[in-house]
Amino acid sequence: MTIRLPVLTVFLLLFVAGCAVEPVSTPEQQPTTIQGLLSGAADTNDASLRRQYQLKAAQMLQTDGEYATARSLLDAMDPEQIEDELRDRYLWLSSRDAVERGDTDAASRLADQLDPELPLRLPPEQRASAFESVAGAYELAERHLPNARTLILWSGSEARPPAALNQRIWGALREVPRAELEPVAERSSDYRERGWLELALALAAHDQHEVEARSQAIQNWKKVWPDHSAAEPFPGELALLRQLDELRPESVALALPLSGPLGGAGEAVREGFLAAHYQDLADPDRTTPAISIHDTHARTFSGIYGDLLETEPDLVVGPLSKEAVQELTSLPALTVPVLALNYHRDARITPENLFQFGLGSEDEMRAIAQRLKQDGHSNVLAFLPEGDWGIRMEKALRRAADKQGITLLETVQYDGDNNLNRVVADGFNINQSRRRANALMRLTGTTMRFEPRRRQDIDAIVLLASPENARQINPLFAFYYGGDLPVYGSSLLYRGSPDPGRDSDLDGIRFTDIPWVLGEAPPERDALQSLFPALGNNYDRLFALGFDSYRLTHQIQLLREIEAYRYQGVTGMIRNSANGSFQRTPDWAVFRKGEPKSLPEAEKESSRQAEYK
């Protein structure tokens, strides 16, 4: 029978420990039940024995699923007072608790005290659990290199390591920057660890789109490390990458609207696509597909698709319009894979071989909600433009906020022709505050000094607005007593090139946008804007869509087959989602002195400035 102890009982037993006068047991007489261990801890004045009993009781409680009660025991202990032989057990159990709760803050604190070899210092019967807990804490804390080293040690300590261990090791190693890997690899004398690090370095030497080079790097590594456990079996991503050059398409049909209302957008996508293609052509070591280009204007895409099949492509890229993608989702089957450049998000079932990728603003709403959660905000007021797009974004933002446990208190819709002062004042309930004050003065027949107050239930603002509207609205937040509220926005805020003279009114706004715009674009961006200035002014981000769509022709199999695979593109971090939709995670920036600064860099800059104050 499992005896469940209330947390209060645990504390009472711990409290009376201060009244203990002598130990009550020898090693042969040590208690074997949770109650016996806690009673023994209360009865002894031997601090080391007391901590030993408490830790053993906490371990048994965790095994019984009583994590909250076990945590009360662990929290009552001062880790600085725990001797080395018990400290490892304390850190293991604390890590186990943090992983069970998914507590990233606790894991981050523990990660500074853990080391990958900790499980090896515990009794053999506890090592598997300890390896899982320590690796889990490192993973929660995003300490990728020590996580990988822990998992590598685990794989070497087990006669038959868990089958998924190689996948987890690679999942951690691929997140480690090359500069961090190199010195560790040079110092490592362990065969198993050194082999893994050399494999990660071999792949880190090449960009993700360099499929042939990465495939060859794996083959070369295998020749040097023929018996290494990393290849028994290779993680799924690497196993697929070894044969990916054989699976990539030899011919691609690019089907876009090159005339009509969407002609400009289609041309921008085409030029971005070809820019990436020409980049590959310039490298004699890369294999490039044959490209055929087709205008889809004024035709149904289902009809065009039938004609395209006659050219026998291995992959079709397009269509661009949402309506054409919706048409495709209604087809029963696609014999040749299609990479559509838009989404039909309401489709519950899509045909096999249809992949959807685009610059949907819904991705940005999801990123905003995730950032709000990360920054600790839970009650949000949103300002959105009137019209169909604003309504769609309200729905997307609300869905994303709900998923993150964030309350979207209210959405305030505005029109650029409206009195924006009134829009913000109403959103902040300033006018309601004034009406209450006026009613009070009328009721009392007196005149009083009054300063209106904004509503106090908001801890962040989401502003979806063009630069012109945002330059007017953002200063009004401070004017109406909301200057302390952080403001978050989307790429709608930024035209794509710095304009500090006009954008200084946007200072402090955090916004999401694609790497192509935020300064991490390849040289092809400047070349495209120089060659096609009219397209660049209106469709710069569609250049990026075209560029990434070409890169994805090499990556579809990896994204399709490997759930954990991520591809860093110029439109953001790309991963596979439901129904063959490729989901983007864009980058973040903040306006400083009228110019966007990459958010991590801006945060470091603010920290440095704070140090000098």
Side-chain angles (χ1 to χ4, degrees):
M1 171 192 277
T2 298
I3 299 175
R4 300 179 181 273
L5 295 177
V7 174
L8 179 60
T9 301
V10 173
F11 278 118
L12 288 173
L13 288 168
L14 292 175
F15 175 76
V16 300
C19 304
V21 293
E22 60 180 345
V24 297
S25 66
T26 65
E28 293 78 12
Q29 301 170 321
Q30 285 188 0
T32 58
T33 66
I34 295 172
Q35 285 184 320
L37 288 165
L38 292 177
S39 296
D43 289 341
T44 182
N45 64 354
D46 183 329
S48 177
L49 185 60
R50 183 185 310 120
R51 286 190 284 268
Q52 182 180 336
Y53 285 175
Q54 291 168 349
L55 288 170
K56 190 171 182 180
Q59 181 184 342
M60 293 174 68
L61 285 163
Q62 287 184 348
T63 302
D64 288 345
E66 296 290 328
Y67 277 87
T69 309
R71 186 160 60 254
S72 68
L73 275 173
L74 296 172
D75 289 345
M77 302 176 73
D78 182 358
E80 299 299 323
Q81 301 297 319
I82 302 175
E83 53 270 35
D84 290 344
E85 58 268 27
L86 295 180
R87 184 175 173 80
D88 286 337
R89 182 182 292 185
Y90 169 83
L91 292 172
W92 159 42
L93 297 176
S94 297
S95 298
R96 194 180 183 185
D97 176 70
V99 172
E100 172 68 20
R101 292 181 291 123
D103 189 335
T104 54
D105 292 336
S108 296
R109 292 191 296 271
L110 284 165
D112 294 328
Q113 306 172 63
L114 296 170
D115 74 86
E117 295 184 357
L118 183 153
L120 296 176
R121 297 192 292 268
L122 294 172
E125 66 274 12
Q126 297 173 355
R127 287 176 187 168
S129 175
F131 272 120
E132 186 69 71
S133 300
V134 172
Y138 279 137
E139 184 176 355
L140 276 175
E142 297 186 353
R143 305 290 180 88
H144 301 299
L145 185 54
N147 180 23
R149 298 182 77 180
T150 303
L151 293 168
I152 292 168
L153 283 171
W154 187 5
S155 71
S157 68
E158 298 280 341
R160 290 191 301 172
L165 216 47
N166 277 10
Q167 189 68 46
R168 292 177 63 185
I169 293 169
W170 176 246
L173 281 177
R174 71 177 172 202
E175 302 295 331
V176 183
R178 186 180 181 186
E180 190 177 343
L181 285 170
E182 287 175 335
V184 179
E186 290 174 2
R187 294 194 303 267
S188 178
S189 58
D190 179 79
Y191 173 86
R192 191 180 300 268
E193 180 182 78
R194 181 67 179 265
W196 272 110
L197 295 173
E198 292 291 348
L199 177 59
L201 282 169
L203 287 159
H206 306 281
D207 290 335
Q208 280 184 285
H209 67 270
E210 296 177 334
V211 174
E212 292 91 350
R214 287 164 64 81
S215 180
Q216 187 60 50
I218 296 173
Q219 307 294 347
N220 293 342
W221 176 90
K222 187 74 170 70
K223 293 176 182 177
V224 178
W225 303 85
D227 301 319
H228 196 277
S229 60
E232 300 173 0
F234 270 117
E237 177 185 331
L238 303 188
L240 186 57
L241 190 57
R242 292 179 71 189
Q243 54 179 327
L244 199 59
D245 56 335
E246 302 171 7
L247 300 175
R248 64 186 297 180
E250 294 182 3
S251 63
V252 175
L254 180 62
L256 299 167
L258 301 176
S259 57
L262 295 178
E267 288 180 5
V269 173
R270 177 191 64 191
E271 297 308 330
F273 186 95
L274 292 176
H277 178 61
Y278 294 145
Q279 187 185 71
D280 274 4
L281 283 174
D283 187 338
D285 293 330
R286 297 185 197 172
T287 302
T288 55
I291 307 295
S292 61
I293 300 175
H294 309 265
D295 187 358
T296 63
H297 173 56
R299 296 187 61 191
T300 63
F301 199 82
S302 56
I304 294 169
Y305 182 72
D307 293 343
L308 291 175
L309 294 184
E310 296 180 3
T311 67
E312 298 183 348
D314 297 315
L315 175 69
V316 175
V317 177
L320 183 60
S321 74
K322 192 179 295 290
E323 294 75 16
V325 177
Q326 184 173 353
E327 183 185 344
L328 273 181
T329 60
S330 65
L331 295 178
L334 297 172
T335 54
V336 172
V338 174
L339 176 61
L341 302 183
N342 213 317
Y343 299 97
H344 178 39
R345 297 185 187 273
D346 296 331
R348 295 184 179 182
I349 301 175
T350 58
E352 184 75 14
N353 281 335
L354 175 61
F355 305 97
Q356 302 173 61
F357 170 65
L359 298 182
S361 298
E362 287 82 356
D363 286 336
E364 297 190 48
M365 298 306 102
R366 183 173 50 255
I368 289 172
Q370 290 170 346
R371 186 80 198 195
L372 287 165
K373 178 72 170 180
Q374 177 185 326
D375 292 350
H377 304 302
S378 56
N379 295 292
V380 177
L381 178 65
F383 290 82
L384 303 91
E386 292 181 352
D388 292 342
W389 185 85
I391 293 171
R392 202 172 91 234
M393 289 307 101
E394 178 186 359
K395 292 179 180 177
L397 181 60
R398 193 173 294 280
R399 281 195 303 268
D402 288 345
K403 190 172 182 180
Q404 297 295 329
I406 294 169
T407 301
L408 188 57
L409 296 169
E410 185 181 350
T411 56
V412 181
Q413 292 192 324
Y414 66 87
D415 186 299
D417 296 330
N418 288 353
N419 183 332
L420 294 176
N421 286 64
R422 178 175 295 176
V423 168
V424 176
D426 285 345
F428 280 5
N429 287 349
I430 297 295
N431 293 330
Q432 182 178 327
S433 176
R434 285 175 176 152
R435 286 193 293 271
R436 284 197 302 267
N438 291 336
L440 181 61
M441 285 187 279
R442 285 195 301 270
L443 183 64
T444 60
T446 61
T447 301
M448 62 183 72
R449 185 178 178 182
F450 166 70
E451 181 175 297
R453 296 182 64 204
R454 67 166 175 83
R455 59 191 297 178
Q456 297 298 303
D457 55 348
I458 314 166
D459 57 27
I461 295 170
V462 173
L463 172 62
L464 303 186
S466 66
E468 293 76 16
N469 284 330
R471 290 172 193 139
Q472 299 178 66
I473 295 173
N474 192 49
L476 292 173
F477 294 149
F479 181 79
Y480 287 113
Y481 316 104
D484 58 326
L485 294 171
V487 182
Y488 296 79
S490 71
S491 61
L492 186 63
L493 284 165
Y494 185 47
R495 290 294 182 208
S497 57
D499 190 357
R502 302 175 68 193
D503 287 344
S504 59
D505 284 331
L506 306 181
D507 278 0
I509 297 181
R510 300 179 175 202
F511 71 102
T512 181
D513 210 330
I514 62 176
W516 179 273
V517 167
L518 294 179
E520 299 180 24
E524 282 73 14
R525 185 193 183 201
D526 290 338
L528 286 168
Q529 290 184 327
S530 176
L531 289 169
F532 308 102
L535 291 177
N537 287 337
N538 295 305
Y539 303 111
D540 183 34
R541 291 177 178 86
L542 292 182
F543 284 150
L545 176 63
F547 198 93
D548 266 358
S549 66
Y550 176 82
R551 292 281 180 244
L552 288 180
T553 64
H554 314 340
Q555 305 288 330
I556 284 178
Q557 289 293 336
L558 283 167
L559 287 164
R560 180 184 196 174
E561 302 293 338
I562 310 299
E563 182 179 357
Y565 185 70
R566 304 288 185 271
Y567 176 71
Q568 180 59 63
V570 296
T571 59
M573 184 68 74
I574 302 167
R575 69 177 184 87
N576 195 8
S577 183
N579 281 348
S581 293
F582 294 156
Q583 191 178 94
R584 293 182 308 109
T585 300
D587 284 355
W588 279 90
V590 60
F591 280 102
R592 294 276 189 264
K593 297 181 180 179
E595 296 191 39
K597 302 290 183 184
S598 174
L599 199 54
E601 293 179 8
E603 288 171 345
K604 290 176 186 175
E605 182 180 318
S606 296
S607 297
R608 285 195 298 269
Q609 291 173 351
E611 289 173 2
Y612 290 110
K613 290 182 180 178

